[in-house]
Amino acid sequence: NSVSYRDGRLTAVSGQESASKISGTVNFAGAGGLKFDNVKISLPDLEMDAGGEYKAGGRLNMLINIKQLDLNSFGEMAGLKKKMKGTLSCPLKVTGASDSPVITASLKIADGYYETVNFDLIMAELEVKDGMLRLAKDKVFLKKRIEGMGDYRLEAVGLVPFPLTEEMRKKFKENMKGLNVFVTAGNSDLCIAMLLGWFEKLQGRLKMASLPLYEQPDRKASEEEPSK
């Protein structure tokens, strides 16, 4: 690997035979600004691309494409106590102020588990804005095939607190802002127990409804669907 710096540009080039590769250019735009051009990172457990800029004053405009991330290795590296496994891919866009960014992402996790919950596939279209994670209608689901039972599928829509700063966490706690999610499931007995096992503490509203597999819920019939 080689790194060079010239005229405010930091450029990295990786050797072809290296197991870990980092390449691309970081342009120091002055006054605290940075511009990332065709940054590529390839590690044994992570492959990603990134581009965009961090403007002076803390404004972000970034495109990040996580092509492959091993969740087991990530959890160990991050010191997470929860057991997890799977392969994650996620293109995402980050814009706005660095202390309160708007994040849009298309998440996919295949062949994994989280604690005692096993799944074949999780797919989600997500947006984080003003400290809230929005689960888009008909765009968030978990799928699992169980031997002797067939498939079950869990879908969710609504809002989940997702504070990115300590100030946001304090504000949410003072205002008692909590979970507000509507969930539909093809096997409600299994999924209710599964969902409750994910959280050490639940605050807010979680509405469950069962439905035949792969059939969309009747939204008009639900009076408790979360407001957007």
Side-chain angles (χ1 to χ4, degrees):
N1 298 343
S2 65
V3 178
S4 62
Y5 179 80
R6 183 178 180 181
D7 298 330
R9 293 169 63 89
L10 181 68
T11 302
V13 179
S14 296
Q16 294 296 321
E17 297 181 0
S18 175
S20 299
K21 299 179 181 180
I22 300 176
S23 62
T25 301
V26 180
N27 187 3
F28 296 84
L34 295 172
K35 186 174 181 179
F36 302 86
D37 184 22
N38 200 29
V39 175
K40 297 180 180 293
I41 299 174
S42 181
L43 305 175
D45 299 315
L46 169 66
E47 184 176 356
M48 64 175 286
D49 301 337
E53 58 184 332
Y54 174 86
K55 296 182 179 180
R59 303 293 297 181
L60 289 164
N61 186 12
M62 296 287 297
L63 291 174
I64 301 170
N65 184 14
I66 301 174
K67 296 181 177 180
Q68 181 175 305
L69 173 63
D70 182 275
L71 291 182
N72 183 49
S73 299
F74 171 77
E76 292 178 354
M77 183 174 61
L80 301 178
K81 296 181 180 179
K82 301 291 187 180
K83 296 179 180 179
M84 63 179 72
K85 176 182 176 292
T87 302
L88 177 148
S89 61
C90 182
L92 58 97
K93 183 177 183 180
V94 185
T95 59
S98 58
D99 59 350
S100 182
V102 176
I103 304 172
T104 55
S106 298
L107 176 73
K108 179 179 178 181
I109 306 175
D111 300 323
Y113 65 77
Y114 179 79
E115 287 291 272
T116 59
V117 180
N118 293 277
F119 54 85
D120 295 325
L121 179 66
I122 292 178
M123 293 187 69
E125 298 287 334
L126 307 172
E127 180 187 60
V128 177
K129 186 177 181 180
D130 298 326
M132 296 298 291
L133 171 64
R134 180 180 298 277
L135 308 179
K137 179 180 177 181
D138 300 330
K139 296 293 185 180
V140 179
F141 70 85
L142 177 151
K143 180 181 176 184
K144 174 65 181 178
R145 172 170 287 275
I146 300 178
E147 187 175 354
M149 294 179 61
D151 290 348
Y152 73 76
R153 177 181 174 120
L154 180 148
E155 300 181 29
V157 59
L159 297 172
V160 179
F162 199 85
L164 298 173
T165 64
E166 184 61 31
E167 183 179 352
M168 282 186 182
R169 282 189 283 271
K170 290 180 180 179
K171 182 179 178 180
F172 283 4
K173 188 174 182 180
E174 291 172 357
N175 296 331
M176 297 298 289
K177 186 173 286 189
L179 192 71
N180 189 19
V181 177
F182 180 84
V183 178
T184 57
N187 186 329
S188 59
D189 292 339
L190 179 64
C191 291
I192 289 174
M194 183 178 68
L195 272 177
L196 296 180
W198 286 358
F199 301 93
E200 295 179 0
K201 181 180 179 181
L202 277 175
Q203 175 180 301
R205 180 172 56 177
L206 177 65
K207 168 77 172 174
M208 291 293 300
S210 62
L211 76 163
L213 290 174
Y214 306 111
E215 179 181 316
Q216 294 298 325
D218 182 359
R219 301 293 180 181
K220 295 181 181 179
S222 172
E223 298 179 357
E224 296 208 28
E225 181 182 358
S227 59
K228 297 184 178 180

